[in-house]
Amino acid sequence: MRVIITGGTGLIGRALVPLLLQEGYQIVVLSRHPSQARLPADVQVVPWDARTASGWGHWVEGATAIVNLAGESIAGTGLIPARWTKARKQRILESRVHATRAVVEAIDQAREKPQVLVQGSAIGYYGGRVDDTILDENAPPGQDFLAQVVRQWEAASEPVEAWGVRRVLARTGLVLSTQGGSLPPTMLPFRFFLGGPLGSGQQWWSWIHLQDEVRALHFLLTHPQASGPFNLTAPHPVTNREFALTLGQVMGRPAFLPTPGWLLRLTLGELADLLLKGQRVLPKRLLDLGFQFAFPTLEMALEELLRK
Ligand SMILES: NC(=O)c1ccc[n+]([C@@H]2O[C@H](COP(=O)([O-])OP(=O)(O)OC[C@H]3O[C@@H](n4cnc5c(N)ncnc54)[C@H](OP(=O)(O)O)[C@@H]3O)[C@@H](O)[C@H]2O)c1
């Protein structure tokens, strides 16, 4: 029972690894910088260039699953989000498409193909919006930059279906963790009593606790009837205003100082849309299959993350 994880050194991968080890899987993580990987000793960390199958493709032979998470960070790796230059936008797109093509190439070459490809994806698929429309997996794709990235990222994995490999598209929302992702930068102004809604605060933020994210990935990996797109978001998304109020409440800080949208646009450029727009997404297909969230409400998730 071998699972190969690309980008397994990242926020989601590092949390997925212990869960899969506990379930008895042998784990192979593909990394561009294996010596820097901080993973348990029983994980095999294998170098790859995230572009081709050469040097690592043989690991796919007879593997149970591949979880494909690799991709250049969308908001940058520091506490302050990094602006989208033309070069960064290109890396955000190409890193995902090239890595996925490499995975597809390796699956093509394998005589005994994996049963399932869990393909990383994002709710950015639906486009950044400011309305209250409820979006499930049948909602049409958006048109903005991230929506185009996600469509091409998903599409790059499509060939495996013709070879009988079950393909799951894990359309992930805002992953909440204190170890990385969007929560630590969001908390920063609250620490200094400067927290509040961003822009109008009416944009929807569809979030998921990191533990539920990796539980859902494992659930989809092991349920043979799961294929196609799945929204990995908690069943109770909130507006940004509600997010700020709940975060302030849990941190014991005020949450009334709005950050004007124009200021975010001035500082972050196009990336500001990531904060000022959102999607009201529901995990319909996960719920239909019987997945149970450990942290269905934002209050439960933040209490667990910040008060433990
Ligand atoms: N976290 C979220 O809130 C969220 C939400 C929606 C979707 N997602 C998506 O889910 C995936 C995993 O998320 P994450 O938060 O775990 O990401 P992450 O912490 O940024 O980790 C992604 C991993 O991808 C690899 N990587 C980075 N830049 C790369 C590049 N230019 N080319 C190839 N590989 C590269 C890195 O591994 P090595 O350095 O070891 O090669 C890195 O550890 C990402 O693709 C992300 O877009 C995440």
Side-chain angles (χ1 to χ4, degrees):
M1 294 215 304
R2 186 187 320 132
V3 177
I4 297 163
I5 309 176
T6 81
T9 56
L11 178 70
I12 298 173
R14 282 198 318 270
L16 180 62
V17 163
L19 175 66
L20 294 182
L21 284 174
Q22 199 184 309
E23 295 293 324
Y25 290 97
Q26 177 203 359
I27 306 293
V28 175
V29 163
L30 302 184
S31 170
R32 296 161 309 151
H33 312 289
S35 60
Q36 292 166 26
R38 290 174 294 129
L39 290 166
D42 38 2
V43 172
Q44 184 93 29
V45 185
V46 172
W48 79 326
D49 62 2
R51 287 179 164 261
T52 66
S54 66
W56 64 273
H58 58 282
W59 286 101
V60 174
E61 197 67 54
T64 307
I66 304 185
V67 182
N68 181 29
L69 299 173
E72 176 88 11
S73 172
I74 302 286
T77 46
L79 262 186
I80 310 289
R83 281 175 86 99
W84 283 344
T85 59
K86 204 173 161 198
R88 270 206 68 214
K89 284 171 86 170
Q90 199 171 344
R91 281 202 304 276
I92 287 170
L93 171 66
E94 289 184 354
S95 60
R96 287 175 173 74
V97 172
H98 290 162
T100 304
R101 284 192 192 140
V103 166
V104 169
E105 183 189 331
I107 296 176
D108 187 18
Q109 287 169 5
R111 271 165 295 125
E112 197 186 333
K113 303 200 188 301
Q115 293 157 22
V116 54
L117 168 62
V118 179
Q119 166 69 17
S121 181
I123 58 169
Y125 174 88
Y126 304 111
R129 314 167 59 122
V130 281
D131 60 18
D132 293 333
T133 310
I134 294 175
L135 306 165
D136 66 18
E137 290 84 355
N138 285 321
Q143 298 299 327
D144 57 21
F145 167 64
L146 278 186
Q148 287 175 37
V149 168
V150 177
R151 278 170 78 175
Q152 292 182 56
W153 191 19
E154 288 189 354
S157 66
E158 201 181 338
V160 305
E161 287 189 351
W163 308 323
V165 177
R166 179 165 65 85
R167 183 176 67 128
V168 169
L169 303 169
R171 289 186 187 153
T172 296
L174 223 58
V175 177
L176 299 187
S177 161
T178 52
Q179 303 304 307
S182 52
L183 185 59
T186 306
M187 286 168 59
L188 196 61
F190 286 80
R191 286 196 199 287
F192 298 105
F193 296 85
L194 296 170
L198 304 176
S200 72
Q202 286 167 2
Q203 66 279 27
W204 285 84
W205 277 15
S206 296
W207 56 275
I208 184 167
H209 189 298
L210 179 60
Q211 276 184 42
D212 277 334
E213 168 72 15
V214 297
R215 286 177 62 247
L217 289 172
H218 173 247
F219 179 91
L220 294 169
L221 195 148
T222 48
H223 275 66
Q225 66 274 48
S227 72
F230 285 84
N231 293 334
L232 273 61
T233 56
H236 299 288
V238 293
T239 62
N240 169 262
R241 180 175 298 276
E242 286 172 77
F243 194 100
L245 284 174
T246 312
L247 183 58
Q249 203 176 37
V250 176
M251 289 179 71
R253 294 285 196 276
F256 301 111
L257 199 70
T259 306
W262 62 263
L263 187 60
L264 286 170
R265 284 194 201 289
L266 195 71
T267 356
L268 301 177
E270 189 184 353
L271 179 65
D273 277 351
L274 208 59
L275 306 171
L276 297 170
K277 294 183 177 177
Q279 305 83 5
R280 187 182 187 182
V281 174
L282 288 187
K284 182 176 183 310
R285 297 196 66 218
L286 264 182
L287 293 172
D288 286 351
L289 272 187
F291 179 76
Q292 293 193 345
F293 286 83
F295 304 98
T297 69
L298 183 61
E299 199 173 353
M300 287 170 80
L302 292 177
E303 288 277 355
E304 194 280 334
L305 288 165
L306 305 181
R307 289 222 175 128
K308 66 184 171 194

